[in-house]
Amino acid sequence: MIEEVETNDFGPVSLELRCLDDDATGQKQIVLPASEVSIELVDDLLWHQLGSNVPTDPKGYTAYLQSLQWNTASASDNNLFQAPFRAGIEISPYQLVPLAKALDLPRVNLLIADDVGLGKTIEAGLVLREMLLRKRADFFIVAAPAAMTLQWKEELSSKFGLNAQIADAEFFAEMRAERGFGYNPWRATSAYIISHSLLRDETYTVGLKAILGDPRPRSMLILDEAHHAAPAHSQAYATDSQLTFAVRELSKKFEHRLFLTATPHNGHSNSFSALLEMLDPQRFTRGIPVTQDQHDAIMVRRLKSDLRELSDTPFPIRRIENIELDDTPTIAPELTLFESLMDFGDLADRKGGYSFVRLQQRLLSSVFAFHSTLNAEIGKMPDGEVRNAASALATAAKSQAFKGDAKSRSLAAWIRENMGSQNSWNQRRLIIFSEYRDTLDWLRKQLLEELSLSPDDDRIAEFHGSTQPNERERIKARFNADPDQEPLRILLCTDAAREGINLQHRCYDLFHFDLPWNPSRLEQRNGRIDRRLQPAPEIFCRYFTYKNRSSDRILQALFKKTERINSELGEVGRVIESEIEDRFKDGITRGNMSKLREDLNSERYLEVQRQVEERQLSSDRATRLKKLETELTSIDRRLQLSRASKDVAPRSLQTVFLNALAKIGASVPSDQVDDAGDVDIIELDPDSEGFSNADWTPVFDQLRTRPRNKDETLAEYRSNAPLKKVSFSPAKDGDRLRSDVEHLHLEHRLVKRLLSQFEAQGFRSRLERTAVLNAPVSRSRLVLLVRLTLYSKGANRLHSEVIPVAATVNADDVTPLKSEGQTAAQAYKELQGAIADASQPRPEICDIYRRRASQDALALRGIAEDRARENEAKVRDDLRGIGEKQAESLRKLLQEQFDRILKQQGEVQKFFDFSAEEKKQRELDQMYWATRLEALEAEIETEPEMVRQKHEISARRVEPVGLIYLLPEDRT
């Protein structure tokens, strides 16, 4: 397509071309006509090339027609979902609410703030895939904590068919080694995942900023755990962190932004408004208060307790068990040391203080962790009374540090009773959390001894901050694998595993070996198994307390308080979290024990904090439930409409997939298809002749049961990691998803690779587009299929559809048939049904019709063009309506933002209780308001027009993609 022509007095100087073909849509090329040997403007030659190849068989042509239909998409109807039917997921209606909201926004600036375990990654993937299908996005970055980058890569690949590159130091080094030091690695592809830590490093982001511009059209930033980017809360006014600066500078260069967090509000309204400004600078300004109506427009927030009440999505019931160690004598070392440590705390406080709180937390974890930390602290102490007391304490701890305690013995007894020991184990799995790596190392040794296991036994694994990303994925894969195939039973974790890792598939037991004083961390730990797709009806979260240790009454009250808050509010809000942490800032002392316990047990305290939380973020529960019920009803209606229009039936996709395998010479024998259950399980043979091309190797590597180990060669990896089997619906063992079966879908890399041979048939003259078939019809019929494609500027495909034109076949010509009020979709579906029951005539009959194919198609071209123009007119109106609506919505919110800043500027500013740093931050915000007002004046005029133009059609194409002769069966 010629998009722009630069001319002078002598004619065209240069042409800007945009590719329209499927495999490179929108790709730009500049042509200098004077330098070309031969250049001409041509008609679409496909009309003259129909019938030039041997007609295909009925099965192959049915597959071709279905793949054509599946690969049509439109931006003209915001009510229809497309992504859910092109992904490897089980659709839960509540997860489509963010998608519905995104489609209604002029730009996808959305905060997904769902409860822990509801599937924010899946919701983000659905939004991203829909934006890519609608060509509203063609470049994206996912920014996540380093520990979650590999999980993001795996989820995007397996569930949405998106192959994203992890942008880490190794990738940058490889790119520059291969392509030169001056090469910008951010130009290598259009999909990246980067860690928060590298996002803060200008070394890695300068190249990204260079290619984004201000901003880059059709780009999307997905920021996971977005609360880390919010300004840090202090005493009175939140101040910017290094990550805040980095995200603020980068996010404004993206057209679309998607932020994910279960804890969006830290109790400071200016911090919340700053986070929202990074998300949607046209709607929010930092330092300007945000009302609930304003943030509701861009935020999706559902609580597990609410969904359990209003939807049929299965969430497990959480059972909390306190294992009280009531037979531990008061002279036990872990108890006497606690009393001695409080004495030391009183002394240290009088003498200038040492890390009493840090030491106390480690002692409540294990004597071993306490002993190692105390020894390190002693080395920093000057000679004197405090050091002498610390040394005496260390000596007392040393005798117990390497032995088991009542907690480790009780845990081992529970494992022996419920899981097994030595060589006899059942299929149950267990997660054990501790805050400290020292405790994990010590606990592993104790369990190996108590359970009579050798030191290298692979039933116990550790997951901590030093565990490398590839090893984390390998451990996760082992822990979620079939216990008959994988011996791992016990996973010892630090809080490095509390966010983002899914461990629920085969585990419903969790122990807190120690209790963090931060209630959100406690809840995040529980969220590893208390989440969607947990197959067990109940999950069990257990913790230990000593009956004879005074501090444990407080820890028990903390755990109960956390559960109570979850019951009342649905989650531990950042306001309540800060209040509880503040109460523990001096540790547990003899002086504050009674007050701590009273506060944690107080219902009045909970009620006050609940009111604060609701004012800051949430509505009351009754309002919340009513809103959620309305959303779910609306989503269900839209889902049913979308399913009728866009559903890709798994059985149909499987048939096309198997046909595609046969066409490349990789047929699947019947003994490689297990059809005994509800879902067919297919075993692929990578050594089949059809897969002999080396290009298939990386495709199969993505189907292996685990990621490659860092020290493993490719040959070793392919030998040791078997291929998963595949299915086209979720394969389950009871209620549990099978980890050894890959759920294939339309966007899966393997499926797309195989179906590309069908999708290309409408555009490659060397492939068959003509079929001659015997069918149960009374007279010879001809059906011409044309594809209407509408483009915006840049060859951005806004709409594509297949339009059938039917005719009666005469001896020398054709007679068009009326459409009889049928929609194109109905006629297309009937055609597929007729072909499915058809057979192929003799070759000489096929040759007769093949020779006249182009002439017959050209005879119907005018009618096809007319119908395409009728459909185009409707699509233009729909797109124009969407553009006008979104442009007006954007203009309105920009004006409202302008008015809010003016109002805030006119108010008297108060700085009491502000530190110097907080006061400086406030003054910077006020200076920024003036700059923002100037920018808004221009944006009110320009931004709505940009949104409007994105929905304007600048080019169209009507091309023949199929020609089918249906002959009466007795004709041959």
Side-chain angles (χ1 to χ4, degrees), residues 79-269:
N79 289 314
L80 287 183
F81 302 136
Q82 298 169 89
F85 310 110
R86 309 169 73 96
I89 61 171
E90 284 189 279
I91 299 174
S92 292
Y94 81 86
Q95 291 187 306
L96 301 181
V97 172
L99 176 56
K101 202 153 196 168
L103 288 175
D104 292 335
L105 290 169
R107 290 190 175 121
V108 182
N109 296 327
L110 191 64
L111 175 62
I112 302 179
D114 280 342
D115 206 351
V116 173
L118 291 186
K120 291 183 285 295
T121 304
I122 296 299
E123 293 169 352
L126 284 167
V127 173
L128 174 60
R129 170 49 74 190
E130 189 81 24
M131 293 303 105
L132 291 168
L133 285 170
R134 291 170 177 265
K135 306 300 181 183
R136 291 179 62 184
D138 60 14
F139 179 93
F140 71 86
I141 303 285
V142 176
M148 295 162 64
T149 54
L150 272 175
Q151 179 161 307
W152 265 100
K153 181 177 177 65
E154 193 276 331
E155 293 274 294
L156 289 177
S157 175
S158 64
K159 292 181 170 58
F160 301 101
L162 297 170
N163 189 24
Q165 171 65 52
I166 295 180
D168 55 12
E170 185 177 354
F171 165 70
F172 275 71
E174 285 178 0
M175 284 293 99
R176 284 166 177 160
E178 290 176 7
R179 307 185 187 186
F181 190 78
Y183 179 74
N184 184 350
W186 293 103
R187 296 190 182 279
T189 184
S190 59
Y192 295 92
I193 301 168
I194 187 172
S195 68
H196 284 177
S197 55
L198 292 191
L199 198 70
R200 295 192 295 261
D201 191 336
E202 187 73 14
T203 306
Y204 294 95
T205 58
V206 63
L208 175 58
K209 293 173 184 176
I211 69 166
L212 286 172
D214 272 330
R216 184 192 189 282
R218 298 194 291 276
S219 59
M220 176 176 279
L221 170 66
I222 300 176
L223 180 64
D224 196 13
E225 304 297 341
H227 56 275
H228 293 311
H233 64 83
S234 50
Q235 191 65 33
Y237 198 81
T239 55
D240 290 350
S241 66
Q242 191 178 0
L243 185 59
T244 305
F245 283 118
V247 173
R248 179 175 293 149
E249 286 302 304
L250 192 62
S251 64
K252 63 186 179 184
K253 295 180 176 292
F254 288 84
E255 180 179 0
H256 307 293
R257 306 166 194 91
L258 200 57
F259 285 10
L260 317 179
T261 175
T263 53
H265 206 302
N266 63 9
H268 286 260
S269 60

Side-chain angles (χ1 to χ4, degrees), residues 319-325 511 515 541-547 552-553 555-557 559-560:
R319 304 295 186 193
I320 304 299
E321 292 184 7
N322 173 23
I323 299 178
E324 188 173 60
L325 305 171
F511 271 87
L515 293 178
C541 301
R542 301 176 175 91
Y543 66 103
F544 296 100
T545 57
Y546 287 93
K547 185 177 182 179
D552 289 32
R553 305 289 75 73
L555 298 178
Q556 188 174 8
F559 205 116
K560 287 182 177 179

